[in-house]
Amino acid sequence: MEKEVILLKQGEIALKGLNRRAFEDVLLKNIRRRLKSVGEFSVSALQSTVYVEAKNEEADLDLAEERCAKVFGVVGYARAGAAEKELSKICEKAAEYLKDTLEGASTFKVECKRSDKKFPHKSPEVSAEVGGYLLERFPHLRVDVHHPDVTVRVEVREACAYVHTDPKPGAGGIPVGTGGKAAILISGGLDSPVAAWQMAKRGVELTAIHFASPPYTSELAHEKVVRLLRKVSEYAGRIKLITVNFTKLQEAIRDHCQEDLNTVILRRFMLRAAEQIAREEGCAALITGESLGQVASQTLQAIACTDAVAAMPVFRPLIGADKTEIVKLAYQIDTYGISIEPYEDCCTIFTPKHPRTRPILHFVEDAEKAIDGEALLREALTQVETMEIQAE
Ligand code: ATP
Ligand code: MG
């Protein structure tokens, strides 16, 4: 038997009691969707492990591994060699499949897990047998049960026995689609793609809303948002992007509202528009990339003024994060390089010279009355463009 598989270990999903089955179904669906363009695979689950097997030679297991590493709900994954359930076959498979790793190590230990209780050898016996065999085959090796260079893991399951080394860390989280749907207000900046990723990690399906103000913001800025979302979608699955034209509204604010309150007023209109769209899209919450104190519009007082217009919960997963922490995550999900490309965002055009860092709600509400916000909002909401974004 020459079979090789990817074993994916489910995380928290195992704690979900009666919902577990439903969670697992969503996880399998998400994995299958991400593997569709890679080749033909069989994907099945047994005892909180998901098995990914290539159905033919063309199916690329390396690429499949890369894709699976980004599926939320998987805490760890390992490539494993499959052996027939016979002690001698398991020993040979371990020696052959892990040859390179074992040759590069000085110490090792073997750990066996036997979920097939009908298998006639108990775990310690399998470990001892495989260990002894490997010592013979690789005479340079020593056993170290406390700090081995390599842990050879043997899992005796229903169909086969699997041999592998320590699993690599997976994306963690819970499967996207099990946590409802929320709308991320996405800019081309560093923060909002990371915020989107963090909520997707907790099982939330995403709809994205972007405000553009052409010609002040360019087509390239919009395209940048699309590329960012494509990166996020490697983890978050398909994302619908709704782009709203905010030019007229922004011009009206610039021309008629009290200058030092312009940013907070703009943000209130963003939230109002986003909430309406979110409702139509069946989203239960909004998400932003705000982080406390990062800019004038992200002080407690400014956030309070913005939040006052929203009836939906607004999640800000980065509220307590430092820029360095956000940058680290942006590197991890590979959005950093795109985010730092210099295109204007609608939040950065017409910015007041001295924005008020501690706006007071009733002054903001008064300042807002200088424009016919309702009509402008209604008009903006008729000028939307929609597209589906999905990583390959
Ligand atoms: P980001 O890095 O996400 O751009 P930022 O630190 O630059 O955030 P702001 O520009 O004040 O902060 O924006 C705060 C939040 O408002 C963003 O994280 C995003 O959720 C939302 N936002 C900003 N600009 C837009 C836009 N053009 N379209 C949709 N949402 C936006
Ligand atoms: Mg920004």
Side-chain angles (χ1 to χ4, degrees):
M1 215 184 315
E2 288 301 315
K3 262 195 330 187
E4 186 179 21
V5 302
I6 309 173
L7 303 180
L8 308 174
K9 306 283 178 184
Q10 295 180 31
E12 266 174 83
I13 198 173
L15 304 174
K16 301 291 171 195
L18 291 175
N19 287 330
R20 183 182 155 167
R21 189 56 207 282
F23 271 66
E24 194 168 274
D25 286 347
V26 175
L27 176 64
L28 293 181
K29 201 177 78 193
N30 292 349
I31 295 169
R32 289 195 185 108
R33 189 177 291 148
R34 290 299 289 131
L35 294 180
K36 222 174 189 165
S37 62
V38 182
E40 283 184 48
F41 292 90
S42 115
V43 179
S44 58
L46 198 71
Q47 295 163 331
S48 60
T49 299
V50 176
Y51 296 79
V52 175
E53 272 173 69
K55 282 190 176 167
N56 52 39
E57 293 277 301
E58 284 84 70
D60 179 346
L61 217 55
D62 291 338
L63 186 54
E65 184 181 333
E66 245 173 67
R67 298 277 171 95
C68 290
K70 294 179 179 171
V71 174
F72 289 130
V74 174
V75 277
Y77 62 96
R79 289 275 275 270
E84 273 174 54
K85 281 163 43 177
E86 250 177 65
L87 263 187
S88 63
K89 296 268 162 71
I90 296 173
C91 290
E92 283 163 22
K93 178 56 86 175
E96 168 220 327
Y97 186 73
L98 303 174
K99 183 168 179 277
D100 292 349
T101 316
L102 292 170
E103 277 173 351
S106 338
T107 59
F108 81 112
K109 72 170 172 182
V110 182
E111 281 202 354
C112 174
K113 257 197 336 210
R114 182 182 62 135
S115 53
D116 173 13
K117 299 295 176 203
K118 291 204 275 315
F119 187 64
H121 309 280
K122 293 202 168 135
S123 298
E125 189 189 341
V126 178
S127 300
E129 190 77 19
V130 174
Y133 183 84
L134 293 177
L135 282 171
E136 257 172 49
R137 285 283 301 268
F138 303 91
H140 74 284
L141 281 179
R142 277 185 305 111
V143 173
D144 179 345
V145 290
H146 299 297
H147 304 287
D149 295 340
V150 177
T151 302
V152 173
R153 298 189 181 274
V154 179
E155 297 187 44
V156 183
R157 294 192 166 240
E158 287 307 315
C160 306
Y162 298 95
V163 297
H164 60 87
T165 55
D166 279 331
K168 295 181 194 160
I174 47 186
V176 171
T178 59
K181 206 162 129 180
I184 170 76
L185 281 76
I186 186 100
S187 70
L190 260 170
D191 306 324
S192 38
V194 174
W197 175 84
Q198 284 197 316
M199 292 301 285
K201 185 171 182 216
R202 297 311 298 166
V204 170
E205 185 186 340
L206 300 173
T207 294
I209 301 173
H210 176 64
F211 300 99
S213 293
Y216 307 103
T217 62
S218 70
E219 184 51 41
L220 287 172
H222 183 258
E223 195 251 335
K224 177 182 178 188
V225 168
V226 171
R227 280 184 290 134
L228 283 170
L229 285 174
R230 204 169 281 136
K231 288 283 183 194
V232 175
S233 120
E234 291 180 21
Y235 296 86
R238 191 182 318 145
I239 301 170
K240 182 169 176 181
L241 167 63
I242 299 168
T243 304
V244 185
N245 185 319
F246 248 38
T247 310
K248 271 202 179 162
L249 222 159
Q250 277 206 271
E251 284 173 339
I253 295 171
R254 175 197 61 188
D255 296 341
H256 303 290
C257 294
Q258 183 186 318
E259 195 195 348
D260 61 354
L261 295 176
N262 277 0
T263 310
V264 65
I265 291 174
L266 170 64
R267 301 201 55 76
R268 281 159 62 89
F269 278 103
M270 281 186 171
L271 230 59
R272 288 184 177 109
E275 183 166 359
Q276 279 202 37
I277 295 170
R279 272 185 212 295
E280 283 162 25
E281 296 296 321
C283 296
L286 301 175
I287 308 163
T288 77
E290 287 160 306
S291 145
L292 198 61
Q294 201 184 79
V295 288
S297 63
Q298 295 176 22
T299 61
L300 269 188
Q301 294 84 352
I303 288 177
C305 287
T306 313
D307 243 18
V309 301
M312 249 181 207
V314 181
F315 292 120
R316 300 175 168 90
L318 301 177
I319 198 73
D322 292 346
K323 202 75 193 183
T324 50
E325 294 167 316
I326 299 169
V327 164
K328 202 168 151 204
L329 284 172
Y331 269 115
Q332 190 188 321
I333 64 172
D334 199 26
T335 51
Y336 183 82
I338 304 174
S339 284
I340 60 168
E341 290 173 15
Y343 299 111
E344 288 283 15
D345 179 59
C346 76
C347 269
T348 55
I349 58 173
F350 315 152
T351 42
K353 271 192 213 75
H354 302 290
R356 192 160 285 275
T357 52
R358 292 183 192 159
I360 294 163
L361 185 58
H362 70 266
F363 287 124
V364 176
E365 286 168 343
D366 279 347
E368 228 171 53
K369 288 185 187 135
I371 60 172
D372 187 351
E374 229 169 273
L376 286 160
L377 196 61
R378 215 178 310 120
E379 192 184 338
L381 286 170
T382 61
Q383 297 181 37
V384 297
E385 266 176 40
T386 299
M387 66 187 285
E388 292 287 340
I389 290 169
Q390 184 153 29
E392 197 198 329

